[in-house]
Amino acid sequence: MVVSMRTLLLSDLHIGFRFSRAQDILRVLNLEKFDRLILVGDIFDIAQLMKRPYWDEHHTAVLKKILKIARTKTVVYVIGNHDYPLYYLQEYTKKVAGLSLHREFTYQSGQRTILCIHGDQLDKVNKTAQFVGDALYNFGLHLNKYINLIRRLFGLRYWSFSKWAKDRVKKLIAKAFNQEAAIEKYRNEYSADVIVYGHTHMPSVTETVVNTGTFVEIATYVTEEGGVFTLHDLDKA
């Protein structure tokens, strides 16, 4: 008898970045039932910590919780572009504090082969464009606070200006560089039925492509069991 495992997939937590929704991450890790945890990149924002460090008790609590989970359950850490220094550790070890390190990770669930990558491998944008995009995104995150103060005065729900702007830019880039073809190429290379990634902060679930979203401007994650994926959005719960 094959026992079905429930997998929790999170990405782009950006612990170490002041806009990380660490309290919401902890809420999910404490309340969600799962057998395996797959961290799909940009979990700890090492790149941000090296430039403009930020850390508080909620970030510490998330780190402690992940390490505690790793004592009793499988925890896979797929390395992204913001936590890229971990990539160099792979030359010496495949496991750190119970976390299994990977750049790409495949597993079987139900009748499906699932490939997890962070997603920065699909980028075809030059560094100047990335720098400008990151600067505008950070400006949008600061602007979110004031926009939502006004929205609350009118009884309106939270809305992320930075996500709205980022989504439109990402869609234009994806169309210009045919990102769908890049995804399919990766999927075929690994003979995967489903490719799971993060990076773009644009959550979605289709039959063959899953994006886990982020815990920065929004709070989304994915669960998987028997090859079936479910997208969760804390702001719409």
Side-chain angles (χ1 to χ4, degrees):
M1 181 180 175
V2 179
V3 179
S4 179
M5 290 185 69
R6 181 174 170 85
T7 301
L8 173 62
L9 298 118
L10 305 172
S11 79
D12 299 270
L13 309 185
H14 290 279
I15 297 299
F17 181 42
R18 65 174 298 176
F19 293 106
S20 174
R21 292 175 59 168
Q23 288 177 278
D24 288 321
I25 298 164
L26 196 61
R27 175 181 160 197
V28 171
L29 292 174
N30 282 328
L31 298 179
E32 191 67 63
K33 304 297 182 185
F34 58 93
D35 305 296
R36 170 174 48 204
L37 173 62
I38 300 181
L39 303 167
V40 195
D42 285 3
I43 304 306
F44 299 100
D45 200 329
I46 299 172
Q48 184 68 32
L49 283 168
M50 290 191 297
K51 292 187 296 184
R52 196 175 294 108
Y54 178 86
W55 200 271
D56 64 23
E57 69 273 17
H58 306 301
H59 293 226
T60 299
V62 171
L63 172 58
K64 286 183 175 179
K65 183 64 179 181
I66 290 173
L67 295 178
K68 184 178 180 181
I69 292 169
R71 292 178 197 161
T72 57
K73 297 177 181 178
T74 298
V75 179
V76 174
Y77 196 121
V78 177
I79 300 165
N81 55 306
H82 281 257
D83 41 30
Y84 70 90
L86 295 176
Y87 180 73
Y88 300 108
L89 285 177
Q90 288 187 295
E91 294 181 27
Y92 308 101
T93 180
K94 298 294 183 183
K95 208 162 192 177
V96 175
L99 311 179
S100 178
L101 299 178
H102 301 264
R103 185 64 170 137
E104 293 91 17
F105 176 75
T106 58
Y107 71 100
Q108 297 288 136
S109 185
Q111 301 298 313
R112 311 181 88 186
T113 299
I114 298 161
L115 167 65
C116 300
I117 64 173
H118 178 58
D120 57 296
Q121 299 96 321
L122 308 170
D123 283 352
K124 293 183 180 179
V125 184
N126 65 48
K127 292 188 180 297
T128 301
Q130 287 180 339
F131 176 79
V132 172
D134 287 346
L136 291 173
Y137 174 59
N138 277 282
F139 173 72
L141 286 169
H142 284 281
L143 201 58
N144 278 344
K145 176 182 177 181
Y146 303 103
I147 289 174
N148 282 287
L149 280 174
I150 296 170
R151 286 178 65 85
R152 279 199 295 271
L153 290 175
F154 290 93
L156 299 173
R157 292 183 64 178
Y158 174 83
W159 176 75
S160 175
F161 168 76
S162 60
K163 174 164 173 53
W164 174 84
K166 182 170 187 171
D167 283 358
R168 273 142 190 81
V169 171
K170 288 282 186 180
K171 284 175 182 176
L172 286 172
I173 290 171
K175 187 174 182 180
F177 292 101
N178 198 4
Q179 195 174 66
E180 287 185 8
I183 290 172
E184 284 305 300
K185 182 181 178 182
Y186 241 92
R187 207 163 61 82
N188 293 333
E189 182 182 338
Y190 284 82
S191 300
D193 299 298
V194 184
I195 184 168
V196 178
Y197 72 111
H199 187 51
T200 65
H201 296 200
M202 296 169 65
S204 67
V205 171
T206 70
E207 190 64 21
T208 59
V209 180
V210 174
N211 188 293
T212 46
T214 181
F215 275 81
V216 180
E217 62 271 30
I218 53 175
T220 64
Y221 64 97
V222 169
T223 53
E224 177 276 319
E225 188 169 3
V228 178
F229 293 84
T230 304
L231 177 65
H232 306 263
D233 186 336
L234 293 190
D235 293 328
K236 295 180 180 178

